[in-house]
């Protein structure tokens, strides 16, 4: 990591004002039109919002901090040693999918997610409605293909996810690390959750919940899952595994419709990775990471650094 940061309070203030101000400004058409999440440009607006943390981080680094190595300050480098970097990329892809699936299992055991892990009745019913009552392939094969879609979706969404992660884990997390590991994890998670407020207050992610509860639930999810992303960032010394993890999380949330029981519904306040039952596995993983001191910052640099980065 890069050395000392100039004007830390000013840098943090500039970053937060830009990240939050731009997100609210971009989301303003959703509010002014009265269409909310049904606005015809919602997808474009949401994508543009994802870029605001990166823009805020870039302005903060190049205008306020002016470090000697800005790419390293943002976590864009190093990418070596290659084996270690690729291993954490693999974890960035696998861990979020495991957490998402674990949330379905936990929700099923606790009675808040009506699951069908063997017949995939809800998924089958949805596909038959889309195809006129005839499945092109056995339902088990179609379920397996959803995981292929998750991998492809993770790769395709890597750059949009980097738009957020360059800010949250690339710049903000190491900036807050001066206050200690646990405060950095908590504060960065709270900030990440609050940043979603322009959409959450319109019913995004938690359509059945009042706005205040939606924000609180998102803060809880972002703190726990964001801490797992932080682990990837710290141990790899790079923002790329965290960005891939973010992309994989976004790509795998839709799996909730694959395992749901036919004719059933569920509330995201209680079920999936968004709900409290889905936080159990991330909380256990986070506790293990803390106990085993996996958040030491910065991790020891490799002895061999005879390379470009």
């Amino acid at each position: 990591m890069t050395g000392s940061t100039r004007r830390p309070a000013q840098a943090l203030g500039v970053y937060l004002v830009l990240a939050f101000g731009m997100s609210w400004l971009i989301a303003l058409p959703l509010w002014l039109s009265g269409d909310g999440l049904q606005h015809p440009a919602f997808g474009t607006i949401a994508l543009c919002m994802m870029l605001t943390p990166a823009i805020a981080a870039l302005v903060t680094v190049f205008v306020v901090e002016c470090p000697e190595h800005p790419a390293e300050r943002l976590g864009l480098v190093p990418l070596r040693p290659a084996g270690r970097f690729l291993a954490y990329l693999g974890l960035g892809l696998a861990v979020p999918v495991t957490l998402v699936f674990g949330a379905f299992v936990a929700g099923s055991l606790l009675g808040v997610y009506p699951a069908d892990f063997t017949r995939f009745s809800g998924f089958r019913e949805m596909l038959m409605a889309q195809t006129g009552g005839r499945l092109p392939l056995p339902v088990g094969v179609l379920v397996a293909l959803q995981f292929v879609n998750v991998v492809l979706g993770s790769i395709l969404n890597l750059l949009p996810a980097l738009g957020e992660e360059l800010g949250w884990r690339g710049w903000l997390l190491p900036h807050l690390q001066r206050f200690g590991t646990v405060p950095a994890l908590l504060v960065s998670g709270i900030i990440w959750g609050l940043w979603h407020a322009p959409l959450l207050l319109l019913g995004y992610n938690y359509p059945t919940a009042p706005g205040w509860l939606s924000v609180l639930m998102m803060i809880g999810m972002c703190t726990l899952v964001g801490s797992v992303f932080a682990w990837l960032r710290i141990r790899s010394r790079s923002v790329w595994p965290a960005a891939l993890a973010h992309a994989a999380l976004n790509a795998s949330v839709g799996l909730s419709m694959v395992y749901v029981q036919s004719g059933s519904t569920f509330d995201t306040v209680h079920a999936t990775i968004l709900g409290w039952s889905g936080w159990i596995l991330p909380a256990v993983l986070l506790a293990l990471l803390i106990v085993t001191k996996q958040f030491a910052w910065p991790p020891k640099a490799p002895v061999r650094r005879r390379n470009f980065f």
Side-chain angles (χ1 to χ4, degrees):
M1 302 304 298
T2 308
S4 61
T5 300
R6 295 168 51 192
R7 296 172 284 184
Q10 181 184 2
L12 181 60
V14 169
Y15 173 79
L16 293 177
V17 167
L18 287 175
F20 279 77
M22 286 188 295
S23 68
W24 274 101
L25 184 62
I26 291 171
L28 201 57
L30 304 179
W31 289 81
L32 295 180
S33 68
D35 294 332
L37 303 181
Q38 305 305 315
H39 193 286
F42 171 75
T44 301
I45 290 172
L47 179 61
C48 290
M49 281 185 63
M50 291 182 70
L51 303 179
T52 60
I55 296 171
L58 291 170
V59 171
T60 302
V61 168
F62 284 99
V63 177
V64 181
E65 294 182 329
C66 304
E68 183 180 355
H69 303 290
E72 189 174 353
R73 179 76 181 95
L74 291 164
L76 293 171
V77 294
L79 306 181
R80 305 279 180 89
R84 179 185 178 88
F85 178 69
L86 291 175
Y88 278 102
L89 281 179
L91 287 172
L93 183 62
V95 170
V97 179
T98 302
L99 295 179
V100 167
F101 186 79
F104 303 151
V105 176
S108 176
L109 293 175
L110 293 169
V112 295
Y113 177 74
D116 184 349
F117 293 118
T118 56
R119 297 180 60 251
F120 316 108
S121 56
F123 185 53
R124 182 194 301 270
E125 182 178 76
M126 181 181 69
L127 291 177
M128 293 186 70
Q130 294 173 351
T131 60
R134 184 175 182 179
L135 296 181
L137 293 169
V139 68
V141 174
L142 294 173
V143 169
L145 288 176
Q146 300 311 302
F147 286 91
V148 176
N149 289 337
V150 166
V151 175
L152 294 177
S154 301
I155 296 171
L156 292 174
N157 288 309
L158 176 59
L159 291 182
L162 182 65
E164 286 196 45
E165 289 304 314
L166 198 64
W168 307 134
R169 257 62 63 176
W171 183 84
L172 181 62
L173 177 71
H175 186 85
L176 295 173
Q177 188 64 23
R178 68 186 71 246
F179 302 110
T181 296
V182 173
L185 296 177
L186 288 174
V187 174
S188 62
I190 291 170
I191 290 174
W192 184 28
L194 286 173
W195 174 84
H196 291 86
L199 301 183
L200 294 171
L201 295 175
L202 292 172
Y204 185 71
N205 278 348
Y206 302 95
T208 66
W212 65 268
L213 181 57
S214 297
V215 174
L216 286 179
M217 294 299 297
M218 197 67 181
I219 287 174
M221 193 280 291
C222 286
T223 300
L224 287 170
V225 176
S227 296
V228 176
F229 292 177
W231 164 64
L232 294 169
R233 161 72 166 106
I234 291 170
R235 301 315 302 173
S236 68
R237 302 174 63 241
S238 168
V239 74
W240 292 103
L244 184 58
H246 194 143
L249 179 69
N250 290 349
S252 58
V253 168
L255 291 175
S256 61
M257 302 309 299
V258 173
Y259 296 103
V260 71
Q261 193 175 76
S262 175
S264 301
T265 60
F266 56 90
D267 188 344
T268 50
V269 170
H270 306 288
T272 77
I273 194 71
L274 294 169
W276 61 265
S277 66
W279 301 350
I280 297 173
L281 185 56
V284 171
L285 175 59
L286 177 58
L288 289 174
L289 293 174
I290 292 175
V291 168
T292 55
K293 300 180 179 181
Q294 293 298 305
F295 288 99
W297 186 283
K300 292 182 179 180
V303 176
R304 295 179 58 189
R305 290 199 64 178
R306 297 182 61 184
N307 51 64
F308 178 77
F309 298 110

